[in-house]
Amino acid sequence: MTPSTLSQPSAPSGGPGVAPPKTAAPGGDDRASRLRSLALRFSMLWVLVLLVVAATVLYPGFLRAANLQDILTQNAAVGIIAVAMTFVIISGGFDLSVGATYALGSTVFAGVTKSTGSVLLAGVCALLAGLAVGGANGTIIARWKVNPFVTTLGISSVIAGLAYVYSDSAPFIVDDVSFQYLALTALAGVPLPIWILLGAFLIGSVLLSRTGYGRNIFAIGGNEEAARLSGLRVPWLVGSAYVMTGVTAALAGMIDASRLGVGQADVGATVALDTIAIVVVGGTSLRGGEGAVWRSAVGLLILATLTNVFYSLNISQHWQLIAKGVIVVTAVALDSLLRSRRT
Amino acid sequence: MPDTSPAPSPAATTVPDPQAPAVVCRGVSKIFGRTYAVRDVDLEIPAGTVHALVGENGAGKSTLLGMVSGRLAADTGTVGVFGTEIGAGGPRRARGLGLVAVYQELTMVPALSAEANVFLGGNLSRRGLLSSREMRRRYLRMCEDFEVDIPPDAPARTLSVSQQQLLEIMRGVQADGRILLLDEPSAALAEHERDILYRVLDRLRSQGTTIVFVSHNLDEVLRLSDTISVLRNGQLVETAPRARWNRQALIRAMVGREIEVTARGGTHEPGGPALEASGVDVPGVLSGIDIRVHEGEIVGLWGLVGSGRTTFLRALAGLDRTSSGRLRLAGQPVPWPRSARQAIGSGVVMVPEDRKNGLVPAMDGTDNVSVGVTRATRAGQIDHGEERRRAERYTRYFGFDPARLGAPVRHLSGGNQQKVLLAKWAARDPRVFLIDEPTRGIDVGAKSEVLASLVRLAGDGAAVVVTSSELEEVLAIANRLLVFAGGRVVSEIPADSPHFRVRDIVRLGFHDQDDA
């Protein structure tokens, strides 16, 4: 059955206290409004398409395989975190600590490699560190009901401090070749970080839209009390999303450390804004309860394309910062505006 | 009682005991602030029966239901489900024991689809992935059972209240509980939807499901129940089989003995018309309401929850943007209020029911009274002495001890908060007071002080419109009473009418609802 066959308004409800539908049911009689809502739903996709067209015009080399591969490699780290951030934001939360966790992952990965010589052990340690950060965030936010904004900002400061203490404020420079395998190994001609990025988006997408877990994350972000009353383990579910951002942030730190051959504590300052930007530019709502992983993929490609074009046109990084901030605030403002229209 | 409950079962087992009664409450109480919402209730509901809880507004029915479902933790006593205590496990634990609750206020997730809302907390999955096809099949079959046509992919926020209510009930049925709790399941439903609901409940009963429900609709209660319990003031008055009840007996048990109205206020002659509103509509809630309030007059509004009385006050105070109507103040036509600011500017204020939202809890009494009033200033700076004197003047009027003005209002008792709240609005020197539930949740002494101060307001020439679920209180002070039911005024009774008494008015409030 298609939605339209079900769309006859249900029998008039003339009883007392029965409010009429606030807006016409989707798939309602008005074809134009349906088209409009469809256009709106995929609006960021149209923006991306326009942007790619513009990019190819401004920078003829844009669509070359090597350039595309560069774009993806450079953005693999933030992209992977953005997948997890999508879950956190849909659950109604926020994670500002990913930048510090990214730096911690980078530092621990390089530091442990240096001191033990085992890249594998170092990787496990870095991921466990990310897990611990996510667990701490999740416990404080979901169990103790502390505001996620303040929690992750505070934890972020703690983690950054720990990373500096651990590295004694100096970068760990690793000349072990195996340290760079993570970033430089290529499968079928494509570097490993890109495969990890694709894998993260694929898994995240299935998890969010095709499993009960994902459905429950939506329910919590949309109406936490309803979720609780339906018997969901709200603290566990919310906490799990922060564990995801913690682990992916550490992994992202490892990838970039491996790419550069250096692990250091003073990286990642823009990671939190970058990942949140990716999620909200894609159209996932900061108010929780609505969004999708594919949206974050679109957001990633939009921002990555912009950066790439800016670089190719030799626009200074400072202008890029300004542009990025404007884009993020605009995206959130648009979301707010569309919502207030709707109700 | 055929079922003598076994010795307290060891808490170790969570497997429900099929022989045990479905629900057992022992000495259950719940305290909100300083008042008992539910006090010392003992109740035993045998498995497979349909049990109704009835009572006036605020009698404690929903609170009791909330404790059975695990949503609220009992302050004293225990709740057992099939012989196992729920304890502090909350809704999840109750659900694990086969208990499913459908709450009065909708627990829809607005952004999720109709179908996803029905399966909330009970998603069907296979090998970790959602079984979309199976869920769609069951959803459509359930729609057939309920004889409704709600598009499965429509976000819940686009659906009408009655559609959402039906989805809520479908969620309860889908969860396949052995006990189904329903709080006012039919309040938002139209007549034909109610019939569908009754058929569904009949079928569930024949399948052995235990059903416990709260309802204001006495005909529905008498039609569906095996056993009916009546609550009054948080206490269980009587539990008896259906055969022993009829409408009159239920109303008598709910209302209790008739309370003598001794001190009626507003004995003086009312002055000219202060507020005249006509044709007030709020789409979906109210229609065609007329009211006229004179200076020095107290008009009471009474109705069941959902009858529209609070919405009406909000509309008059400019708080409901969807409302429309015609308004005259002191005989002069004025535009229909579109904002609180506009209403206040024209001398109409609303004192809200919710003290938490009406006051700034962390600020002291003086600041609360001064918020939004033109601040007393001296040389551009706030003149604290003057503000303090003003706050003292207004709070004392309502029986508040000005010595406590310096304390953050969250530390004050409910009664004192109410007095500060009234003072805050009185400080705007309005001509018309719209006062919603001024005595809810405050102790007896404060109640009589608050009521006396409303009489004083009227005596000083203000027009007062007041609602209360506690009918006796309204009767004690009002010159006239408007009875609301189903979004309309069904009756207007002056204080000198022989029908100006609790029993007749309650009957009116229920009567119309059943006829609708």
Side-chain angles (χ1 to χ4, degrees), chain B residues 230-292:
Chain B
V230 178
L231 287 149
R232 193 197 316 142
N233 295 330
Q235 286 173 301
L236 191 61
V237 180
E238 197 176 352
T239 297
R242 156 74 182 87
R244 299 244 314 267
W245 293 107
N246 58 29
R247 283 180 66 89
Q248 281 66 35
L250 282 174
I251 290 178
R252 210 176 304 125
M254 282 160 56
V255 174
R257 85 192 151 76
E258 199 99 359
I259 289 167
E260 284 300 310
V261 178
T262 47
R264 179 174 340 283
T267 42
H268 53 277
E269 276 302 297
L275 175 147
E276 297 158 278
S278 54
V280 180
D281 280 321
V282 175
V285 188
L286 294 173
S287 58
I289 294 188
D290 301 333
I291 189 173
R292 172 189 290 211

Side-chain angles (χ1 to χ4, degrees), chain A residues 98-123:
Chain A
V98 287
T101 313
Y102 166 91
L104 183 72
S106 158
T107 317
V108 170
F109 188 44
V112 175
T113 305
K114 249 189 125 130
S115 54
T116 68
S118 164
V119 176
L120 194 66
L121 179 66

Side-chain angles (χ1 to χ4, degrees), chain A:
Chain A
M1 247 192 259
T2 65
S4 60
T5 61
L6 284 167
S7 66
Q8 288 84 18
S10 66
S13 40
V18 179
K22 278 189 197 125
T23 52
D29 14 45
D30 188 359
R31 202 179 183 81
S33 89
R34 209 155 106 209
L35 277 177
R36 212 177 311 131
S37 85
L38 205 69
L40 217 76
R41 193 163 166 226
F42 295 106
S43 52
M44 279 306 158
L45 204 54
W46 310 141
V47 170
L48 176 61
V49 171
L50 284 178
L51 202 62
V52 168
V53 172
T56 11
V57 174
L58 287 169
Y59 171 37
F62 177 75
L63 280 178
R64 275 210 315 268
N67 187 50
L68 293 180
Q69 184 168 317
D70 275 356
I71 293 178
L72 288 180
T73 313
Q74 278 156 13
N75 289 285
V78 284
I80 293 165
I81 306 172
V83 174
M85 188 68 84
T86 312
F87 283 76
V88 169
I89 288 178
I90 289 176
S91 80
F94 211 70
D95 190 345
L96 291 172
S97 69
V98 287
T101 313
Y102 166 91
L104 183 72
S106 158
T107 317
V108 170
F109 188 44
V112 175
T113 305
K114 249 189 125 130
S115 54
T116 68
S118 164
V119 176
L120 194 66
L121 179 66
V124 172
C125 287
L127 290 177
L128 283 177
L131 187 84
V133 176
N137 278 329
T139 308
I140 297 168
I141 293 163
R143 215 29 80 224
W144 304 340
K145 315 261 175 251
V146 181
N147 175 299
F149 206 89
V150 175
T151 304
T152 55
L153 199 58
I155 288 286
S156 170
S157 172
V158 172
I159 301 309
L162 285 176
Y164 277 115
V165 169
Y166 172 65
S167 65
D168 208 9
S169 304
F172 290 111
I173 300 164
V174 189
D175 6 313
D176 189 342
V177 191
S178 56
F179 183 70
Q180 295 204 289
Y181 282 170
L182 179 60
L184 301 185
T185 311
L187 291 172
V190 176
L192 197 52
I194 295 182
W195 286 114
I196 297 176
L197 178 68
L198 294 178
F201 271 100
L202 191 70
I203 294 170
S205 183
V206 170
L207 196 60
L208 188 61
S209 64
R210 297 261 176 271
T211 68
Y213 171 80
R215 188 61 70 74
N216 293 341
I217 293 283
F218 276 109
I220 290 169
N223 184 346
E224 185 171 329
E225 180 67 1
R228 186 180 80 88
L229 293 177
S230 304
L232 300 185
R233 283 180 213 261
V234 174
W236 274 105
L237 290 162
V238 170
S240 69
Y242 289 93
V243 168
M244 258 194 268
T245 45
V247 172
T248 50
L251 175 63
M254 287 163 56
I255 290 173
D256 280 357
S258 165
R259 188 152 58 96
L260 304 169
V262 178
Q264 49 193 341
D266 58 353
V267 291
T270 63
V271 167
L273 179 65
D274 286 348
T275 48
I276 290 164
I278 289 168
V279 176
V280 299
V281 166
T284 292
S285 171
L286 265 188
R287 297 174 200 213
E290 283 174 272
V293 169
W294 70 260
R295 289 185 170 283
S296 298
V298 172
L300 174 68
L301 293 175
I302 288 178
L303 290 168
T305 304
L306 273 178
T307 317
N308 187 255
V309 172
F310 282 161
Y311 269 118
S312 66
L313 298 180
N314 273 325
I315 296 173
S316 94
Q317 272 205 316
H318 307 143
W319 282 107
Q320 292 188 31
L321 271 182
I322 294 167
K324 199 154 46 183
V326 169
I327 289 167
V328 172
V329 176
T330 311
V332 178
L334 274 179
D335 177 61
S336 245
L337 204 72
L338 289 175
R339 262 160 201 281
S340 65
R341 281 272 173 78
R342 204 164 50 196
T343 45

Side-chain angles (χ1 to χ4, degrees), chain B residues 276-282 312 315-318 320-328 334-339 342:
Chain B
E276 297 158 278
S278 54
V280 180
D281 280 321
V282 175
F312 178 61
L316 288 180
D320 193 318
R321 280 166 167 273
T322 63
S323 65
S324 59
R326 285 178 305 283
L327 185 64
R328 294 167 84 90
V334 294
W336 188 251
R338 291 272 157 239
S339 69
Q342 188 188 341

Side-chain angles (χ1 to χ4, degrees), chain B residues 53-374:
Chain B
L53 301 174
V54 299
E56 278 194 288
N57 295 338
K61 302 155 298 195
S62 297
T63 308
L64 181 59
L65 206 68
M67 286 188 285
V68 172
S69 72
R71 167 192 218 177
L72 300 169
D75 290 323
T76 69
T78 59
V79 177
V81 172
F82 291 116
T84 307
E85 262 183 44
I86 298 184
R92 188 176 173 82
R93 164 96 165 155
R95 196 143 182 173
L97 293 167
L99 188 147
V100 178
V102 177
Y103 297 101
Q104 182 178 6
E105 67 273 35
L106 295 165
T107 60
M108 290 279 111
V109 182
L112 281 184
S113 70
E115 182 187 281
N117 266 295
V118 167
F119 289 95
L120 184 66
N123 287 307
L124 306 177
S125 307
R126 238 181 45 187
R127 278 185 253 118
L129 296 186
L130 289 173
S131 322
S132 321
R133 237 181 249 155
E134 174 65 12
M135 285 198 278
R136 180 57 54 95
R137 209 172 55 74
R138 283 208 204 177
Y139 175 83
L140 293 177
R141 203 175 55 207
M142 223 170 332
C143 278
E144 269 173 41
D145 285 350
F146 279 77
E147 296 167 45
V148 289
D149 209 5
I150 306 174
D153 295 316
R157 65 162 176 269
T158 64
L159 301 174
S160 73
V161 174
S162 69
Q163 286 173 319
Q164 295 190 29
Q165 179 68 58
L166 285 169
L167 290 177
E168 191 96 32
I169 296 166
M170 284 159 75
R171 182 198 290 164
V173 172
Q174 139 68 23
D176 211 11
R178 301 172 59 219
I179 305 175
L180 186 60
L181 306 183
L182 302 140
D183 196 354
E184 293 286 356
S186 65
L189 300 183
E191 190 66 27
H192 70 282
E193 293 167 325
R194 292 183 183 184
D195 290 337
I196 295 161
L197 171 67
Y198 301 157
R199 278 204 292 282
V200 170
L201 292 182
D202 283 339
R203 204 187 63 227
L204 288 173
R205 187 233 301 263
S206 68
Q207 291 165 359
T209 308
T210 309
I211 298 170
V212 185
F213 74 107
V214 164
S215 178
H216 273 311
N217 185 327
L218 298 184
D219 290 334
E220 169 180 302
V221 166
L222 291 166
R223 178 197 178 297
L224 293 172
S225 321
D226 297 316
T227 315
I228 302 171
S229 291
V230 178
L231 287 149
R232 193 197 316 142
N233 295 330
Q235 286 173 301
L236 191 61
V237 180
E238 197 176 352
T239 297
R242 156 74 182 87
R244 299 244 314 267
W245 293 107
N246 58 29
R247 283 180 66 89
Q248 281 66 35
L250 282 174
I251 290 178
R252 210 176 304 125
M254 282 160 56
V255 174
R257 85 192 151 76
E258 199 99 359
I259 289 167
E260 284 300 310
V261 178
T262 47
R264 179 174 340 283
T267 42
H268 53 277
E269 276 302 297
L275 175 147
E276 297 158 278
S278 54
V280 180
D281 280 321
V282 175
V285 188
L286 294 173
S287 58
I289 294 188
D290 301 333
I291 189 173
R292 172 189 290 211
V293 192
H294 298 87
E295 287 165 12
E297 188 185 32
I298 300 180
V299 173
L301 308 183
W302 187 81
L304 299 167
V305 169
S307 61
R309 58 197 155 94
T310 299
T311 310
F312 178 61
L313 286 192
R314 288 177 54 84
L316 288 180
L319 300 175
D320 193 318
R321 280 166 167 273
T322 63
S323 65
S324 59
R326 285 178 305 283
L327 185 64
R328 294 167 84 90
L329 295 173
Q332 297 304 311
V334 294
W336 188 251
R338 291 272 157 239
S339 69
R341 194 178 172 81
Q342 188 188 341
I344 293 167
S346 60
V348 178
V349 299
M350 174 157 177
V351 183
E353 167 189 4
D354 186 353
R355 291 185 287 272
K356 281 203 196 71
N357 285 332
L359 296 170
V360 183
M363 290 205 306
D364 68 18
T366 304
D367 278 336
N368 265 292
V369 172
S370 308
V371 167
V373 190
T374 312

